[in-house]
Amino acid sequence: MGMKGKVALGAVVGIVVIGAVSANAGGGDGGGSDTGTGASTSAQGKTGGEKGAGEAAGEKKAAFEGDGDFQVGTDVEPGTYRTTGNSDGMCYWERAKDASGELDSLLANDNVSGTGYVTVKPTDKIFKSSGCGDWEAVDPRAEGSPAATMAGDGGMFRVGADIAPGTYQSTGNTDDSCYWERAKDAEHSIDSIIANDNVSGTAVVRISSSDAYFKTSGCQDWKKTG
């Protein structure tokens, strides 16, 4: 677990959509709001919402490094964290219920390109991170200047802080490689997912103001159309 480039078990972006929910390797209760934070940047640059994400005068404060195994409550406090500037899906993270390293200990995981958010819960025991940019704590209640465009491989965006709600379009996608996901929190459990899809050609999605996050991977850039 936690090796660079490791495929996330069931949480890998681009997985075949099962109904409106992807087969995400998650335990945990998918609550409607994070206890941690939000506001994201894309792999191609900062969005307008980044400054409002609990950063003083645009300063970033790393909570912990992007490589290592961290004990929750000792090395890492519960909360929501963000990593930015990741490329090629080489950033891998994992929430675990113990330090056994066994499959049954896995609560949720993901491979990240661009920006990733994850909420570490008080009941988690271990958080693993490999090949990621440093993680910073973010405040989900912070406001930003949401953008109307986003990088198609930018990762996760905080709705209302990084991107504005509305209808978005991405064109020119091929081979079902474009994956998008609307989420109600950053726990990455099955219950976190509101809707998702793998798309060829043109993708259109309506992001609601009640959504917490929007994830995009392998897509052409998105533009707000309504």
Side-chain angles (χ1 to χ4, degrees):
M1 295 293 183
M3 296 299 292
K4 290 185 179 180
K6 180 177 179 64
V7 174
L9 301 175
V12 62
V13 171
I15 193 167
V16 175
V17 179
I18 301 175
V21 179
S22 68
N24 199 320
D29 51 353
S33 62
D34 302 348
T35 57
T37 47
S40 120
T41 58
S42 75
Q44 299 179 3
K46 297 179 180 180
T47 66
E50 184 180 1
K51 185 175 180 181
E55 298 176 4
E59 293 181 359
K60 289 185 176 182
K61 183 178 180 180
F64 54 96
E65 296 179 355
D67 286 290
D69 295 351
F70 306 93
Q71 296 184 74
V72 178
T74 302
D75 305 317
V76 175
E77 293 300 319
T80 300
Y81 297 89
R82 173 181 63 185
T83 178
T84 62
N86 302 289
S87 61
D88 302 324
M90 295 299 288
C91 166
Y92 172 83
W93 64 259
E94 177 181 312
R95 292 172 48 220
K97 62 183 179 182
D98 57 46
S100 69
E102 298 177 0
L103 183 61
D104 287 346
S105 71
L106 184 65
L107 295 171
N109 63 355
D110 204 4
N111 292 112
V112 178
S113 287
T115 293
Y117 285 93
V118 60
T119 296
V120 178
K121 302 183 67 177
T123 51
D124 296 352
K125 298 301 181 184
I126 299 291
F127 183 79
K128 297 186 177 185
S129 177
S130 178
C132 302
D134 288 350
W135 294 86
E136 57 181 323
V138 288
D139 183 354
R141 298 164 296 183
E143 298 180 355
S145 300
T149 60
M150 56 184 148
D153 206 35
M156 288 180 74
F157 296 85
R158 175 72 176 174
V159 179
D162 302 332
I163 56 168
T167 300
Y168 287 79
Q169 184 181 62
S170 170
T171 61
N173 300 293
T174 59
D175 302 326
D176 285 335
S177 61
C178 170
Y179 174 80
W180 64 259
E181 177 183 309
R182 295 169 51 215
K184 63 183 180 181
D185 57 43
E187 294 177 18
H188 296 266
S189 70
I190 291 177
D191 289 340
S192 299
I193 301 174
I194 299 169
N196 64 356
D197 203 3
N198 292 111
V199 181
S200 285
T202 298
V204 178
V205 60
R206 176 72 180 176
I207 300 174
S208 172
S209 59
S210 60
D211 296 350
Y213 297 93
F214 182 77
K215 180 191 286 189
T216 173
S217 177
C219 302
Q220 297 300 309
D221 291 352
W222 295 85
K223 183 178 180 180
K224 190 172 182 289
T225 59

Short mmCIF file of all heavy atoms in Angstrom, two decimals, residues 150-213:
data_model
loop_
_atom_site.label_atom_id
_atom_site.label_comp_id
_atom_site.label_asym_id
_atom_site.label_seq_id
_atom_site.Cartn_x
_atom_site.Cartn_y
_atom_site.Cartn_z
N MET A 150 -12.15 25.28 -15.54
CA MET A 150 -11.26 24.44 -14.76
C MET A 150 -10.52 23.47 -15.67
O MET A 150 -11.04 23.07 -16.73
CB MET A 150 -12.01 23.68 -13.67
CG MET A 150 -13.14 22.83 -14.16
SD MET A 150 -14.05 22.05 -12.79
CE MET A 150 -15.70 21.98 -13.48
N ALA A 151 -9.31 23.11 -15.27
CA ALA A 151 -8.50 22.17 -16.03
C ALA A 151 -9.17 20.80 -16.01
O ALA A 151 -9.62 20.33 -14.97
CB ALA A 151 -7.10 22.09 -15.44
N GLY A 152 -9.20 20.15 -17.16
CA GLY A 152 -9.87 18.86 -17.27
C GLY A 152 -9.18 17.74 -16.53
O GLY A 152 -9.78 16.69 -16.27
N ASP A 153 -7.91 17.94 -16.19
CA ASP A 153 -7.17 16.96 -15.40
C ASP A 153 -6.71 17.59 -14.09
O ASP A 153 -5.69 17.22 -13.53
CB ASP A 153 -5.96 16.45 -16.20
CG ASP A 153 -5.52 15.05 -15.77
OD1 ASP A 153 -6.38 14.23 -15.41
OD2 ASP A 153 -4.31 14.77 -15.81
N GLY A 154 -7.51 18.56 -13.63
CA GLY A 154 -7.12 19.35 -12.47
C GLY A 154 -7.35 18.70 -11.12
O GLY A 154 -6.91 19.21 -10.11
N GLY A 155 -8.11 17.59 -11.09
CA GLY A 155 -8.36 16.91 -9.83
C GLY A 155 -9.65 17.36 -9.18
O GLY A 155 -10.70 17.38 -9.82
N MET A 156 -9.59 17.76 -7.90
CA MET A 156 -10.79 18.14 -7.14
C MET A 156 -10.87 19.65 -6.97
O MET A 156 -9.87 20.31 -6.70
CB MET A 156 -10.79 17.46 -5.77
CG MET A 156 -11.06 15.97 -5.81
SD MET A 156 -11.06 15.22 -4.16
CE MET A 156 -12.63 15.79 -3.49
N PHE A 157 -12.09 20.15 -7.10
CA PHE A 157 -12.35 21.58 -6.94
C PHE A 157 -13.46 21.76 -5.91
O PHE A 157 -14.47 21.05 -5.93
CB PHE A 157 -12.79 22.19 -8.27
CG PHE A 157 -11.73 22.13 -9.34
CD1 PHE A 157 -11.59 21.00 -10.13
CD2 PHE A 157 -10.88 23.20 -9.55
CE1 PHE A 157 -10.61 20.93 -11.12
CE2 PHE A 157 -9.90 23.15 -10.53
CZ PHE A 157 -9.77 22.01 -11.31
N ARG A 158 -13.28 22.72 -5.02
CA ARG A 158 -14.27 23.03 -4.01
C ARG A 158 -15.34 23.92 -4.63
O ARG A 158 -15.06 25.02 -5.13
CB ARG A 158 -13.61 23.74 -2.82
CG ARG A 158 -14.57 24.22 -1.75
CD ARG A 158 -15.14 23.09 -0.94
NE ARG A 158 -15.98 23.60 0.13
CZ ARG A 158 -16.70 22.83 0.93
NH1 ARG A 158 -16.68 21.53 0.80
NH2 ARG A 158 -17.45 23.36 1.88
N VAL A 159 -16.59 23.46 -4.62
CA VAL A 159 -17.69 24.20 -5.22
C VAL A 159 -18.00 25.43 -4.36
O VAL A 159 -18.16 25.33 -3.15
CB VAL A 159 -18.94 23.31 -5.36
CG1 VAL A 159 -20.11 24.11 -5.96
CG2 VAL A 159 -18.63 22.10 -6.24
N GLY A 160 -18.08 26.58 -5.01
CA GLY A 160 -18.34 27.83 -4.31
C GLY A 160 -17.10 28.56 -3.87
O GLY A 160 -17.17 29.74 -3.52
N ALA A 161 -15.95 27.87 -3.87
CA ALA A 161 -14.68 28.51 -3.50
C ALA A 161 -13.70 28.47 -4.67
O ALA A 161 -13.09 29.48 -5.01
CB ALA A 161 -14.07 27.82 -2.29
N ASP A 162 -13.56 27.30 -5.28
CA ASP A 162 -12.68 27.16 -6.45
C ASP A 162 -13.44 27.37 -7.75
O ASP A 162 -12.94 28.01 -8.66
CB ASP A 162 -12.05 25.76 -6.49
CG ASP A 162 -11.26 25.44 -5.24
OD1 ASP A 162 -10.73 26.36 -4.62
OD2 ASP A 162 -11.17 24.25 -4.90
N ILE A 163 -14.60 26.77 -7.84
CA ILE A 163 -15.43 26.88 -9.04
C ILE A 163 -16.85 27.27 -8.65
O ILE A 163 -17.34 26.91 -7.57
CB ILE A 163 -15.45 25.57 -9.84
CG1 ILE A 163 -15.92 24.41 -8.97
CG2 ILE A 163 -14.10 25.30 -10.46
CD1 ILE A 163 -16.24 23.15 -9.76
N ALA A 164 -17.50 27.98 -9.56
CA ALA A 164 -18.88 28.40 -9.33
C ALA A 164 -19.84 27.28 -9.72
O ALA A 164 -19.56 26.49 -10.63
CB ALA A 164 -19.19 29.64 -10.17
N PRO A 165 -20.97 27.16 -9.03
CA PRO A 165 -21.99 26.21 -9.46
C PRO A 165 -22.48 26.58 -10.86
O PRO A 165 -22.35 27.73 -11.29
CB PRO A 165 -23.10 26.39 -8.42
CG PRO A 165 -22.48 27.11 -7.28
CD PRO A 165 -21.38 27.94 -7.85
N GLY A 166 -23.06 25.62 -11.56
CA GLY A 166 -23.60 25.89 -12.88
C GLY A 166 -23.41 24.71 -13.81
O GLY A 166 -22.99 23.63 -13.39
N THR A 167 -23.71 24.91 -15.07
CA THR A 167 -23.56 23.87 -16.09
C THR A 167 -22.22 24.04 -16.79
O THR A 167 -21.87 25.14 -17.24
CB THR A 167 -24.69 23.94 -17.12
OG1 THR A 167 -25.94 23.74 -16.44
CG2 THR A 167 -24.53 22.86 -18.18
N TYR A 168 -21.46 22.96 -16.87
CA TYR A 168 -20.13 22.98 -17.48
C TYR A 168 -20.07 22.00 -18.65
O TYR A 168 -20.74 20.96 -18.65
CB TYR A 168 -19.06 22.61 -16.45
CG TYR A 168 -18.79 23.69 -15.45
CD1 TYR A 168 -19.65 23.89 -14.36
CD2 TYR A 168 -17.69 24.55 -15.56
CE1 TYR A 168 -19.42 24.89 -13.43
CE2 TYR A 168 -17.45 25.55 -14.63
CZ TYR A 168 -18.31 25.71 -13.57
OH TYR A 168 -18.08 26.71 -12.66
N GLN A 169 -19.22 22.33 -19.63
CA GLN A 169 -19.05 21.49 -20.82
C GLN A 169 -17.57 21.23 -21.08
O GLN A 169 -16.74 22.12 -20.95
CB GLN A 169 -19.69 22.15 -22.03
CG GLN A 169 -19.64 21.31 -23.30
CD GLN A 169 -20.26 22.04 -24.48
OE1 GLN A 169 -19.79 23.10 -24.90
NE2 GLN A 169 -21.36 21.49 -25.00
N SER A 170 -17.27 19.98 -21.44
CA SER A 170 -15.93 19.58 -21.84
C SER A 170 -16.06 18.84 -23.17
O SER A 170 -16.83 17.88 -23.27
CB SER A 170 -15.29 18.67 -20.78
OG SER A 170 -14.09 18.08 -21.25
N THR A 171 -15.33 19.26 -24.20
CA THR A 171 -15.49 18.67 -25.52
C THR A 171 -14.19 18.01 -25.99
O THR A 171 -13.10 18.30 -25.49
CB THR A 171 -15.87 19.75 -26.56
OG1 THR A 171 -14.83 20.74 -26.62
CG2 THR A 171 -17.17 20.43 -26.16
N GLY A 172 -14.35 17.06 -26.94
CA GLY A 172 -13.19 16.42 -27.55
C GLY A 172 -12.60 15.29 -26.74
O GLY A 172 -11.43 14.92 -26.94
N ASN A 173 -13.36 14.68 -25.83
CA ASN A 173 -12.86 13.57 -25.04
C ASN A 173 -12.91 12.27 -25.84
O ASN A 173 -13.80 12.07 -26.66
CB ASN A 173 -13.69 13.44 -23.75
CG ASN A 173 -13.62 14.70 -22.91
OD1 ASN A 173 -12.57 15.04 -22.38
ND2 ASN A 173 -14.75 15.41 -22.79
N THR A 174 -11.96 11.37 -25.57
CA THR A 174 -11.88 10.13 -26.34
C THR A 174 -11.76 8.92 -25.41
O THR A 174 -11.27 9.01 -24.28
CB THR A 174 -10.66 10.14 -27.27
OG1 THR A 174 -9.47 10.31 -26.50
CG2 THR A 174 -10.77 11.28 -28.29
N ASP A 175 -12.23 7.78 -25.90
CA ASP A 175 -12.02 6.47 -25.27
C ASP A 175 -12.50 6.38 -23.82
O ASP A 175 -11.92 5.66 -23.02
CB ASP A 175 -10.53 6.10 -25.32
CG ASP A 175 -10.00 6.06 -26.74
OD1 ASP A 175 -10.76 5.66 -27.64
OD2 ASP A 175 -8.84 6.44 -26.95
N ASP A 176 -13.55 7.10 -23.49
CA ASP A 176 -14.08 7.07 -22.12
C ASP A 176 -13.03 7.43 -21.07
O ASP A 176 -13.13 7.02 -19.92
CB ASP A 176 -14.67 5.70 -21.79
CG ASP A 176 -16.02 5.46 -22.45
OD1 ASP A 176 -16.71 6.44 -22.75
OD2 ASP A 176 -16.37 4.28 -22.66
N SER A 177 -11.99 8.16 -21.49
CA SER A 177 -10.92 8.50 -20.55
C SER A 177 -11.26 9.67 -19.66
O SER A 177 -10.59 9.93 -18.66
CB SER A 177 -9.62 8.81 -21.31
OG SER A 177 -9.82 9.92 -22.18
N CYS A 178 -12.32 10.39 -20.00
CA CYS A 178 -12.76 11.53 -19.18
C CYS A 178 -13.66 11.02 -18.06
O CYS A 178 -14.69 10.38 -18.31
CB CYS A 178 -13.50 12.54 -20.05
SG CYS A 178 -14.35 13.85 -19.12
N TYR A 179 -13.27 11.28 -16.82
CA TYR A 179 -14.06 10.89 -15.65
C TYR A 179 -14.40 12.13 -14.84
O TYR A 179 -13.53 12.97 -14.56
CB TYR A 179 -13.28 9.93 -14.76
CG TYR A 179 -14.00 9.59 -13.46
CD1 TYR A 179 -15.01 8.65 -13.43
CD2 TYR A 179 -13.65 10.24 -12.28
CE1 TYR A 179 -15.67 8.35 -12.24
CE2 TYR A 179 -14.30 9.95 -11.08
CZ TYR A 179 -15.32 9.00 -11.07
OH TYR A 179 -15.97 8.72 -9.89
N TRP A 180 -15.69 12.30 -14.49
CA TRP A 180 -16.08 13.38 -13.59
C TRP A 180 -16.92 12.84 -12.45
O TRP A 180 -17.53 11.78 -12.56
CB TRP A 180 -16.82 14.49 -14.34
CG TRP A 180 -18.15 14.11 -14.96
CD1 TRP A 180 -18.40 13.83 -16.28
CD2 TRP A 180 -19.40 13.98 -14.28
NE1 TRP A 180 -19.72 13.53 -16.47
CE2 TRP A 180 -20.37 13.62 -15.26
CE3 TRP A 180 -19.82 14.13 -12.96
CZ2 TRP A 180 -21.72 13.39 -14.96
CZ3 TRP A 180 -21.16 13.91 -12.64
CH2 TRP A 180 -22.09 13.55 -13.64
N GLU A 181 -16.93 13.60 -11.37
CA GLU A 181 -17.64 13.15 -10.17
C GLU A 181 -18.11 14.35 -9.35
O GLU A 181 -17.33 15.26 -9.09
CB GLU A 181 -16.72 12.28 -9.32
CG GLU A 181 -17.30 11.80 -8.01
CD GLU A 181 -16.25 11.01 -7.23
OE1 GLU A 181 -15.64 10.09 -7.79
OE2 GLU A 181 -16.04 11.35 -6.03
N ARG A 182 -19.37 14.34 -8.99
CA ARG A 182 -19.90 15.31 -8.04
C ARG A 182 -19.93 14.64 -6.66
O ARG A 182 -20.41 13.52 -6.53
CB ARG A 182 -21.32 15.74 -8.43
CG ARG A 182 -21.41 16.49 -9.75
CD ARG A 182 -22.87 16.63 -10.19
NE ARG A 182 -23.70 17.17 -9.12
CZ ARG A 182 -24.98 16.82 -8.91
NH1 ARG A 182 -25.58 15.93 -9.71
NH2 ARG A 182 -25.66 17.36 -7.92
N ALA A 183 -19.41 15.33 -5.65
CA ALA A 183 -19.30 14.72 -4.32
C ALA A 183 -19.84 15.63 -3.24
O ALA A 183 -19.76 16.86 -3.34
CB ALA A 183 -17.85 14.36 -4.03
N LYS A 184 -20.37 15.01 -2.19
CA LYS A 184 -20.93 15.80 -1.08
C LYS A 184 -19.94 15.99 0.07
O LYS A 184 -20.22 16.72 1.02
CB LYS A 184 -22.21 15.16 -0.57
CG LYS A 184 -22.06 13.77 0.03
CD LYS A 184 -23.42 13.22 0.43
CE LYS A 184 -23.34 11.83 1.04
NZ LYS A 184 -24.68 11.31 1.40
N ASP A 185 -18.77 15.33 0.01
CA ASP A 185 -17.73 15.51 1.01
C ASP A 185 -16.42 14.99 0.44
O ASP A 185 -16.35 14.54 -0.71
CB ASP A 185 -18.08 14.84 2.34
CG ASP A 185 -18.35 13.35 2.21
OD1 ASP A 185 -17.59 12.67 1.48
OD2 ASP A 185 -19.32 12.85 2.81
N ALA A 186 -15.36 15.04 1.24
CA ALA A 186 -14.05 14.59 0.79
C ALA A 186 -13.61 13.32 1.51
O ALA A 186 -12.41 13.06 1.65
CB ALA A 186 -13.01 15.70 1.01
N GLU A 187 -14.57 12.51 1.94
CA GLU A 187 -14.24 11.26 2.61
C GLU A 187 -13.92 10.14 1.62
O GLU A 187 -13.31 9.14 1.97
CB GLU A 187 -15.38 10.84 3.53
CG GLU A 187 -15.59 11.78 4.70
CD GLU A 187 -16.76 11.38 5.58
OE1 GLU A 187 -17.21 10.21 5.49
OE2 GLU A 187 -17.24 12.23 6.34
N HIS A 188 -14.39 10.29 0.38
CA HIS A 188 -14.12 9.33 -0.70
C HIS A 188 -14.74 7.96 -0.44
O HIS A 188 -14.21 6.94 -0.90
CB HIS A 188 -12.60 9.20 -0.93
CG HIS A 188 -11.98 10.47 -1.41
ND1 HIS A 188 -11.79 10.77 -2.74
CD2 HIS A 188 -11.50 11.55 -0.71
CE1 HIS A 188 -11.22 11.95 -2.85
NE2 HIS A 188 -11.05 12.46 -1.63
N SER A 189 -15.84 7.93 0.26
CA SER A 189 -16.61 6.69 0.40
C SER A 189 -17.62 6.62 -0.74
O SER A 189 -17.83 7.60 -1.47
CB SER A 189 -17.34 6.66 1.74
OG SER A 189 -18.38 7.61 1.76
N ILE A 190 -18.24 5.47 -0.91
CA ILE A 190 -19.28 5.34 -1.93
C ILE A 190 -20.39 6.35 -1.68
O ILE A 190 -20.92 6.97 -2.61
CB ILE A 190 -19.84 3.90 -1.94
CG1 ILE A 190 -18.78 2.93 -2.47
CG2 ILE A 190 -21.10 3.82 -2.80
CD1 ILE A 190 -19.21 1.48 -2.45
N ASP A 191 -20.73 6.54 -0.40
CA ASP A 191 -21.80 7.48 -0.06
C ASP A 191 -21.42 8.93 -0.34
O ASP A 191 -22.29 9.80 -0.35
CB ASP A 191 -22.17 7.33 1.42
CG ASP A 191 -22.92 6.05 1.71
OD1 ASP A 191 -23.48 5.46 0.75
OD2 ASP A 191 -22.93 5.62 2.88
N SER A 192 -20.13 9.19 -0.55
CA SER A 192 -19.70 10.56 -0.84
C SER A 192 -20.13 11.00 -2.24
O SER A 192 -20.29 12.19 -2.50
CB SER A 192 -18.18 10.69 -0.75
OG SER A 192 -17.71 10.39 0.55
N ILE A 193 -20.30 10.04 -3.14
CA ILE A 193 -20.55 10.35 -4.54
C ILE A 193 -22.03 10.63 -4.79
O ILE A 193 -22.89 9.81 -4.49
CB ILE A 193 -20.09 9.20 -5.45
CG1 ILE A 193 -18.59 8.94 -5.26
CG2 ILE A 193 -20.38 9.52 -6.92
CD1 ILE A 193 -18.08 7.73 -6.00
N ILE A 194 -22.29 11.79 -5.35
CA ILE A 194 -23.65 12.16 -5.74
C ILE A 194 -23.95 11.63 -7.14
O ILE A 194 -25.01 11.06 -7.40
CB ILE A 194 -23.83 13.69 -5.71
CG1 ILE A 194 -23.59 14.22 -4.29
CG2 ILE A 194 -25.21 14.10 -6.23
CD1 ILE A 194 -23.48 15.74 -4.22
N ALA A 195 -23.01 11.80 -8.06
CA ALA A 195 -23.15 11.30 -9.44
C ALA A 195 -21.77 11.29 -10.08
O ALA A 195 -20.87 12.02 -9.65
CB ALA A 195 -24.09 12.19 -10.24
N ASN A 196 -21.59 10.44 -11.11
CA ASN A 196 -20.32 10.40 -11.83
C ASN A 196 -20.51 9.78 -13.20
O ASN A 196 -21.57 9.25 -13.51
CB ASN A 196 -19.25 9.65 -11.02
CG ASN A 196 -19.57 8.18 -10.81
OD1 ASN A 196 -20.63 7.69 -11.19
ND2 ASN A 196 -18.65 7.46 -10.19
N ASP A 197 -19.47 9.87 -14.03
CA ASP A 197 -19.58 9.30 -15.37
C ASP A 197 -18.22 9.21 -16.03
O ASP A 197 -17.29 9.95 -15.68
CB ASP A 197 -20.51 10.15 -16.24
CG ASP A 197 -21.13 9.38 -17.40
OD1 ASP A 197 -20.88 8.16 -17.50
OD2 ASP A 197 -21.86 9.99 -18.20
N ASN A 198 -18.08 8.26 -16.96
CA ASN A 198 -16.97 8.19 -17.90
C ASN A 198 -17.50 8.63 -19.25
O ASN A 198 -18.54 8.16 -19.69
CB ASN A 198 -16.43 6.77 -18.00
CG ASN A 198 -15.75 6.31 -16.72
OD1 ASN A 198 -16.25 5.44 -16.04
ND2 ASN A 198 -14.60 6.89 -16.42
N VAL A 199 -16.79 9.53 -19.91
CA VAL A 199 -17.34 10.18 -21.10
C VAL A 199 -16.40 10.11 -22.29
O VAL A 199 -15.19 10.28 -22.16
CB VAL A 199 -17.65 11.67 -20.81
CG1 VAL A 199 -18.26 12.34 -22.03
CG2 VAL A 199 -18.59 11.80 -19.62
N SER A 200 -16.98 9.84 -23.47
CA SER A 200 -16.31 10.08 -24.74
C SER A 200 -17.04 11.20 -25.45
O SER A 200 -18.26 11.35 -25.30
CB SER A 200 -16.34 8.82 -25.62
OG SER A 200 -15.42 7.86 -25.15
N GLY A 201 -16.32 12.00 -26.22
CA GLY A 201 -16.95 13.11 -26.92
C GLY A 201 -17.18 14.28 -26.00
O GLY A 201 -16.31 14.68 -25.23
N THR A 202 -18.40 14.83 -26.04
CA THR A 202 -18.73 16.01 -25.23
C THR A 202 -19.36 15.60 -23.90
O THR A 202 -20.26 14.76 -23.87
CB THR A 202 -19.71 16.92 -25.99
OG1 THR A 202 -19.07 17.39 -27.19
CG2 THR A 202 -20.11 18.12 -25.14
N ALA A 203 -18.87 16.19 -22.83
CA ALA A 203 -19.43 15.95 -21.49
C ALA A 203 -20.11 17.22 -21.02
O ALA A 203 -19.58 18.32 -21.16
CB ALA A 203 -18.32 15.57 -20.52
N VAL A 204 -21.30 17.06 -20.46
CA VAL A 204 -22.04 18.18 -19.88
C VAL A 204 -22.49 17.77 -18.49
O VAL A 204 -23.06 16.68 -18.31
CB VAL A 204 -23.26 18.57 -20.74
CG1 VAL A 204 -24.03 19.71 -20.07
CG2 VAL A 204 -22.84 18.97 -22.15
N VAL A 205 -22.24 18.61 -17.50
CA VAL A 205 -22.64 18.29 -16.14
C VAL A 205 -23.12 19.55 -15.44
O VAL A 205 -22.56 20.63 -15.62
CB VAL A 205 -21.48 17.63 -15.35
CG1 VAL A 205 -20.28 18.56 -15.26
CG2 VAL A 205 -21.94 17.22 -13.95
N ARG A 206 -24.16 19.39 -14.64
CA ARG A 206 -24.69 20.48 -13.83
C ARG A 206 -24.18 20.32 -12.41
O ARG A 206 -24.49 19.34 -11.72
CB ARG A 206 -26.22 20.44 -13.84
CG ARG A 206 -26.90 21.47 -12.94
CD ARG A 206 -26.78 22.88 -13.48
NE ARG A 206 -27.41 23.88 -12.62
CZ ARG A 206 -27.38 25.18 -12.84
NH1 ARG A 206 -26.74 25.65 -13.90
NH2 ARG A 206 -27.96 26.02 -12.02
N ILE A 207 -23.36 21.28 -11.97
CA ILE A 207 -22.82 21.28 -10.62
C ILE A 207 -23.71 22.13 -9.74
O ILE A 207 -23.91 23.32 -10.01
CB ILE A 207 -21.38 21.82 -10.61
CG1 ILE A 207 -20.48 20.94 -11.50
CG2 ILE A 207 -20.83 21.86 -9.19
CD1 ILE A 207 -19.08 21.49 -11.67
N SER A 208 -24.29 21.53 -8.72
CA SER A 208 -25.24 22.22 -7.85
C SER A 208 -24.52 23.02 -6.77
O SER A 208 -23.41 22.67 -6.34
CB SER A 208 -26.17 21.19 -7.20
OG SER A 208 -26.98 21.79 -6.21
N SER A 209 -25.16 24.05 -6.31
CA SER A 209 -24.59 24.85 -5.22
C SER A 209 -24.52 24.06 -3.92
O SER A 209 -23.77 24.42 -3.00
CB SER A 209 -25.43 26.11 -5.00
OG SER A 209 -26.77 25.77 -4.69
N SER A 210 -25.26 22.96 -3.84
CA SER A 210 -25.23 22.12 -2.64
C SER A 210 -24.13 21.06 -2.71
O SER A 210 -23.86 20.37 -1.72
CB SER A 210 -26.58 21.43 -2.43
OG SER A 210 -26.93 20.61 -3.53
N ASP A 211 -23.49 20.90 -3.88
CA ASP A 211 -22.35 19.98 -3.99
C ASP A 211 -21.18 20.56 -3.22
O ASP A 211 -20.99 21.78 -3.14
CB ASP A 211 -21.94 19.81 -5.45
CG ASP A 211 -23.02 19.15 -6.31
OD1 ASP A 211 -24.01 18.66 -5.75
OD2 ASP A 211 -22.83 19.11 -7.54
N ALA A 212 -20.35 19.69 -2.66
CA ALA A 212 -19.16 20.14 -1.95
C ALA A 212 -17.93 20.19 -2.86
O ALA A 212 -17.15 21.13 -2.82
CB ALA A 212 -18.88 19.25 -0.75
N TYR A 213 -17.78 19.15 -3.71
CA TYR A 213 -16.61 19.05 -4.55
C TYR A 213 -16.99 18.55 -5.95
O TYR A 213 -17.99 17.86 -6.13
CB TYR A 213 -15.58 18.07 -3.96
CG TYR A 213 -15.03 18.51 -2.63
CD1 TYR A 213 -15.60 18.07 -1.44
CD2 TYR A 213 -13.93 19.36 -2.56
CE1 TYR A 213 -15.11 18.47 -0.22
CE2 TYR A 213 -13.43 19.77 -1.34
CZ TYR A 213 -14.01 19.32 -0.16
OH TYR A 213 -13.52 19.73 1.04
#
